[in-house]
Amino acid sequence: MLINCVAYENGLKIAEMPIDQISDYLAKPGVFVWVALFEPSIEELAVMQAEFQLHDLAILDVVHGHQRPKTEEYGDVIFSVVQMVTTQANKSLKVGELDIFTGSNFILSIRSRSDKALLGVRARCEQDPHLLALGPAYVLYALVDYVVDEYFDVQEDLQSELEEIEADIFMKSKGRQNIERLYYLKQKVSILKHACVPLREKFSHFNGGRIPVVLAQAHLNEYFRDLNDHLARIIDLLESIEDSISMTVQVNLSLVTIDETEITKRLAAWAGIFGLATSFAGIWGMNFDKMPELQWQFGYPMALLTIFGGCALLFWRFKKIKWL
């Protein structure tokens, strides 16, 4: 589906045209076209491929989707894939995809499996004509920078979720539940990390070393360096969350072990108390003829007193050492 198709000259919007007029504006010097699509059909992609002379392999990647974040050069066109990660109402993560074709006089963005609209990026670029005048290369930076900023929001959600789990970590009834929540949180951290790490690796080449001609002409090294710094910061924060998750799991397991040890102590204490009573009852329950205390008129009360006294002494002792 076509979202919008706009031509710009010197950073200013000059026309919003139908697709069949794209080639007319591409032929004009100093003009570039910015086309945005959302989950396009095969026919729409075929039209875009014909208009912008896009490579077959890149179009196949768009059709198949679920690509790893990357940048590839096909002649004078840069094909970039960025994963759009957003937090859902149920705290799960939704992973969409943004495919971007950047040429010398055009930029084509294709959004798939994501409800996050990019109209705000276009509006922000149009508010800065002097930057938009740098051409498609700046639009590429603006689109990726917007997605990376969304990563920060997701990272903050993950940090908040971790803090909620840590607040419940000392509640004895939630040991298993906390482990499950930590496991699912670790999965979500991995999802976001898999979106950031390859993206940083690919876009780090744009602020130094060999820079594609399309980007070199715009002199955006500082902007892409700033983008790289943002990605590095997010990765560091995610690694910190991963370390915290590992530590929290260990603490939770230690608390479970402590709880089990406390239960074992209680069981051992009660077993000792009942064992003492059982041993006295077993001795006096033997059927020997020569057991003088059994013939004593105070034998039964003394036996009960001995049993209860010994059990009481053990109970006091276990209570004192906090086994009961």
Side-chain angles (χ1 to χ4, degrees):
M1 180 176 68
L2 177 67
I3 303 299
N4 40 38
C5 179
V6 182
Y8 297 90
E9 184 176 11
N10 296 324
L12 299 175
K13 178 178 177 181
I14 59 173
E16 188 166 349
M17 83 291 289
I19 292 177
D20 55 7
Q21 294 182 12
I22 290 177
S23 55
D24 296 334
Y25 284 91
L26 291 178
K28 296 180 179 181
V31 174
F32 79 90
V33 177
W34 181 356
V35 181
L37 301 177
F38 175 64
E39 296 186 350
S41 63
I42 300 295
E43 293 75 15
E44 288 177 314
L45 286 176
V47 172
M48 292 296 106
Q49 182 178 14
E51 289 288 346
F52 299 122
Q53 302 298 309
L54 305 178
H55 199 280
D56 292 340
L57 292 177
I59 294 297
L60 281 176
D61 285 344
V62 175
V63 172
H64 293 157
H66 303 282
Q67 299 294 314
R68 191 172 185 264
K70 62 181 180 179
T71 60
E72 296 175 341
E73 291 185 59
Y74 293 97
D76 294 333
V77 177
I78 301 173
F79 173 56
S80 307
V81 178
V82 183
Q83 289 184 349
M84 302 181 70
V85 184
T86 53
T87 305
Q88 302 294 92
N90 60 358
K91 294 187 178 181
S92 64
L93 296 186
K94 183 176 182 180
V95 181
E97 187 173 303
L98 179 63
D99 302 307
I100 308 171
F101 292 90
T102 309
S104 59
N105 60 348
F106 74 90
I107 184 158
L108 170 64
S109 64
I110 304 170
R111 178 167 53 95
S112 304
R113 305 186 312 280
S114 176
D115 301 326
K116 202 72 175 180
L118 300 174
L119 294 175
V121 180
R122 186 182 293 272
R124 187 174 62 185
C125 290
E126 290 177 351
Q127 290 174 357
D128 294 316
H130 65 288
L131 293 176
L132 192 55
L134 297 175
Y138 176 75
V139 178
L140 170 65
Y141 159 77
L143 288 169
V144 178
D145 184 60
Y146 174 80
V147 174
V148 172
D149 286 343
E150 292 296 317
Y151 290 167
F152 277 107
D153 294 337
V154 177
Q155 181 271 327
E156 290 177 0
D157 292 337
L158 297 178
Q159 182 66 45
S160 299
E161 188 173 349
L162 175 60
E163 291 172 357
E164 291 177 6
I165 299 174
E166 289 177 335
D168 294 339
I169 200 72
F170 294 104
M171 298 182 68
K172 295 183 179 180
S173 61
K174 292 189 175 182
R176 181 181 178 84
Q177 182 181 353
N178 287 334
I179 290 293
E180 292 177 353
R181 291 171 66 190
L182 287 168
Y183 175 75
Y184 291 130
L185 178 60
K186 188 175 180 64
Q187 282 186 322
K188 290 190 283 188
V189 171
S190 297
I191 289 174
L192 184 56
K193 196 171 181 180
H194 289 160
C196 293
V197 174
L199 190 64
R200 185 195 176 196
E201 291 175 357
K202 297 301 180 181
F203 275 81
S204 63
H205 302 304
F206 293 165
N207 63 354
R210 179 190 170 278
I211 303 175
V213 177
V214 175
L215 302 181
Q217 294 173 347
H219 304 290
L220 292 171
N221 295 31
E222 294 82 3
Y223 290 90
F224 284 107
R225 182 166 59 246
D226 180 69
L227 180 64
N228 186 64
D229 290 341
H230 287 177
L231 286 168
R233 181 183 169 193
I234 294 174
I235 294 171
D236 289 342
L237 292 172
L238 292 176
E239 290 176 349
S240 176
I241 292 177
E242 284 183 327
D243 293 339
S244 298
I245 290 174
S246 299
M247 183 180 65
T248 305
V249 168
Q250 293 301 320
V251 170
N252 190 78
L253 292 175
S254 299
L255 290 173
V256 171
T257 302
I258 291 172
D259 289 341
E260 292 177 349
T261 302
E262 292 296 322
I263 294 173
T264 303
K265 287 180 180 179
R266 289 188 178 90
L267 292 175
W270 285 113
I273 293 172
F274 285 110
L276 178 64
T278 303
S279 64
F280 279 126
I283 292 172
W284 287 320
M286 292 186 293
N287 296 321
F288 289 110
D289 294 333
K290 304 298 183 180
M291 294 187 71
E293 64 269 24
L294 298 182
Q295 307 301 322
W296 185 31
Q297 62 176 340
F298 299 109
Y300 179 67
M302 284 300 297
L304 292 179
L305 181 62
T306 302
I307 291 174
F308 285 114
C311 290
L313 180 63
L314 283 179
F315 181 84
W316 171 80
R317 180 59 182 171
F318 286 134
K319 198 75 173 177
K320 185 177 182 181
I321 61 176
K322 297 182 179 180
W323 279 36
L324 291 174

